[in-house]
């Protein structure tokens, strides 16, 4: 298997077959994250992807779910994603769903008809680290989108029938702002249809903007 750099998946994808399509992150500007700091974004060649699918087939020919790694492989355009998704179906004929990480930013380059096409090919189960639905918190974390962007982009997923999951991060709003963050996030999330919401808590890692801000008081 052609794994490079950081290879990880959510705990709820523990039973999924894992394959790499991208490495690194297209954004790398979130103020709490340095996970991909030394890893530039790169796309796996289709030939390597096919070799990995062949290896998965030799061990799990009846695999029903694939999880594609990389911080946000859904950032790839519809045209770039399409041949990889179709190739999964060539090798794993029992595969029912193809899941991956995605950002709110990654939906902006796709029309609803393209999302519907991807859903028909098997893409279903996007893990989205929204972190918050509160605009002040999103600015503090430097997520690169607003609460309105969350609504607009996820409504496209609803329309296309693609299942998605939210990650909400407690502690991200800063001292005394947690309740405001929770209330405003709930107001946004309640207008959408995430299959579930996973709750994480903020850890301040050295080398991040929030870590430096905390040190400075």
């Amino acid at each position: 298997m052609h794994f490079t750099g950081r290879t990880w998946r959510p705990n709820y994808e523990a039973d999924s077959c894992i394959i790499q399509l991208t490495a690194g992150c297209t954004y790398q500007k979130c103020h709490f994250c340095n996970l991909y700091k030394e890893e530039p974004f790169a796309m796996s060649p289709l030939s390597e992807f096919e070799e990995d699918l062949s290896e998965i087939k030799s061990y799990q020919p009846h695999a029903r779910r694939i999880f594609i790694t990389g911080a946000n492989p859904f950032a790839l355009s519809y045209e770039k994603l399409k041949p990889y998704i179709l190739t999964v179906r060539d090798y794993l004929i029992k595969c029912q769903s193809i899941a991956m990480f995605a950002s709110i930013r990654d939906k902006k380059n796709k029309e609803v008809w393209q999302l519907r096409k991807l859903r028909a090919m098997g893409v279903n189960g996007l893990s989205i680290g929204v972190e918050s639905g509160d605009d002040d918190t999103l600015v503090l974390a430097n997520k690169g989108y607003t609460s309105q962007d969350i609504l607009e982009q996820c409504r496209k997923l609803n329309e296309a029938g693609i299942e998605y999951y939210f990650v909400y991060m407690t502690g991200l709003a800063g001292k005394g702002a947690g309740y405001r963050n929770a209330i405003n996030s709930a107001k946004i999330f309640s207008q959408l249809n995430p299959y579930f919401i996973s709750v994480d808590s903020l850890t301040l890692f050295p080398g991040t903007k929030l870590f430096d801000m905390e040190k400075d008081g």
Side-chain angles (χ1 to χ4, degrees):
M1 302 292 289
H2 296 87
F3 290 119
T4 59
R6 300 276 187 171
T7 301
W8 63 291
R9 49 93 182 129
N11 56 359
Y12 46 81
E13 297 288 354
D15 295 328
S16 305
C17 292
I18 300 176
I19 187 170
Q20 178 174 293
L21 172 51
T22 62
C25 174
T26 59
Y27 188 61
Q28 297 203 48
K29 296 177 184 177
C30 295
H31 284 171
F32 58 87
C33 181
N34 62 358
L35 189 61
Y36 299 98
K37 186 176 181 180
E38 304 299 330
E39 189 175 348
F41 184 82
M43 182 177 175
S44 299
L46 184 58
S47 58
E48 287 187 359
F49 193 74
E50 285 200 62
E51 289 176 17
D52 290 347
L53 284 171
S54 179
E55 186 170 345
I56 290 174
K57 183 179 180 179
S58 69
Y59 288 98
Q60 298 191 49
H62 303 296
R64 293 182 177 273
R65 186 173 177 91
I66 292 289
F67 184 81
I68 292 175
T69 67
N72 58 331
F74 205 66
L76 298 177
S77 67
Y78 168 77
E79 288 76 15
K80 288 184 177 179
L81 268 175
K82 181 179 177 180
Y84 288 82
I85 301 303
L86 291 176
T87 303
V88 172
R89 313 315 296 263
D90 290 339
Y91 282 83
L92 302 172
I93 61 173
K94 299 287 187 180
C95 184
Q96 297 178 342
S97 57
I98 302 165
M100 67 192 80
F101 286 119
S103 166
I104 295 299
R105 298 178 301 274
D106 300 341
K107 310 349 175 251
K108 293 183 177 182
N109 67 353
K110 298 176 183 67
E111 302 293 335
V112 172
W113 71 265
Q114 294 174 320
L115 294 171
R116 284 183 176 143
K117 292 271 191 179
L118 290 172
R119 177 64 185 92
M121 296 174 205
V123 172
N124 199 36
L126 299 181
S127 292
I128 306 173
V130 289
E131 325 303 357
S132 172
D134 173 65
D135 281 321
D136 288 341
T137 304
L138 292 170
V139 169
L140 179 63
N142 198 36
K143 289 297 295 181
Y145 51 79
T146 66
S147 60
Q148 187 61 34
D149 291 327
I150 296 173
L151 290 175
E152 291 176 0
Q153 300 308 314
C154 288
R155 282 170 177 162
K156 287 163 62 176
L157 296 179
N158 291 343
E159 193 173 346
I162 293 179
E163 186 177 282
Y164 56 94
Y165 326 122
F166 281 168
V167 177
Y168 172 78
M169 186 177 290
T170 63
L172 189 60
K175 186 176 181 179
Y179 184 75
R180 183 206 71 216
N181 183 23
I183 291 296
N184 288 340
S185 295
K187 288 178 180 178
I188 294 297
F189 298 168
S190 294
Q191 297 178 60
L192 297 168
N193 191 33
Y195 188 73
F196 62 79
I197 299 172
S198 173
V199 179
D200 291 349
S201 57
L202 174 68
T203 299
L204 296 176
F205 291 101
T208 63
K209 179 69 173 179
L210 286 188
F211 182 88
D212 293 338
M213 289 171 66
E214 193 276 335
K215 284 177 62 179
D216 293 338

